[in-house]
Amino acid sequence: MFVKKIVQFDEDALEAVVIVSDSVHELMCYAQPFDKKEEFTLLAFMCSNIYRAENNCFVIEKTSNSYFSYKLQGEVLDTTKGIVKIGQLILNDVDYIPKDICNGEFIVFDVSRIDLI
């Protein structure tokens, strides 16, 4: 996982819009404070419509709901901590994963924003 591109950067507010990639998949993320560090964590903000996927593949689909929103499909690494993998992108804090979904299964969900910290 790496920052592929800085789309916008406000130096005074240390606020940025960045593209994060694993060389195959990309996500636009919000970062504040943004200090251009190489190691970071991705946090899913306001997840909804979580359900078991019909097939085991990674999907990133931009939605028109807002600037940062996505429909995502990925593999659940940890249901308790809400960790989901999309390619080599690791999202944390995916809330409200249904109790009947197990680690290793694929889920589909909507996310309002992905924060880089």
Side-chain angles (χ1 to χ4, degrees):
M1 243 178 6
F2 59 93
V3 173
K4 180 177 180 178
K5 180 180 179 183
I6 299 172
V7 178
Q8 295 175 333
F9 181 60
D10 181 335
E11 195 169 334
D12 293 331
L14 295 177
E15 184 177 63
V17 175
V18 298
I19 304 292
V20 173
S21 178
D22 67 356
S23 297
V24 176
H25 304 91
E26 295 183 352
L27 290 169
M28 183 182 307
C29 304
Y30 172 78
Q32 202 288 323
F34 183 63
D35 58 6
K36 300 180 184 176
K37 60 185 176 183
E38 291 186 25
E39 290 192 26
F40 53 85
T41 301
L42 298 179
L43 300 178
F45 180 70
M46 292 183 55
C47 297
S48 61
N49 302 323
I50 301 172
Y51 57 92
R52 185 176 284 112
E54 292 182 16
N55 49 35
N56 294 351
C57 64
F58 302 114
V59 177
I60 296 175
E61 191 177 294
K62 188 80 179 85
T63 63
S64 60
N65 295 345
S66 78
Y67 192 61
F68 294 102
S69 63
Y70 287 95
K71 178 179 259 342
L72 302 173
Q73 181 171 315
E75 180 183 2
V76 177
L77 297 181
D78 190 321
T79 57
T80 307
K81 295 179 182 176
I83 301 173
V84 175
K85 177 174 85 166
I86 301 167
Q88 296 305 311
L89 302 174
I90 307 295
L91 294 176
N92 294 274
D93 292 348
V94 177
D95 292 334
Y96 312 114
I97 295 175
K99 300 291 183 201
D100 64 337
I101 293 176
C102 300
N103 293 343
E105 291 189 282
F106 279 68
I107 60 170
V108 177
F109 62 100
D110 296 327
V111 63
S112 295
R113 186 178 79 209
I114 298 167
D115 292 343
L116 181 146
I117 61 165

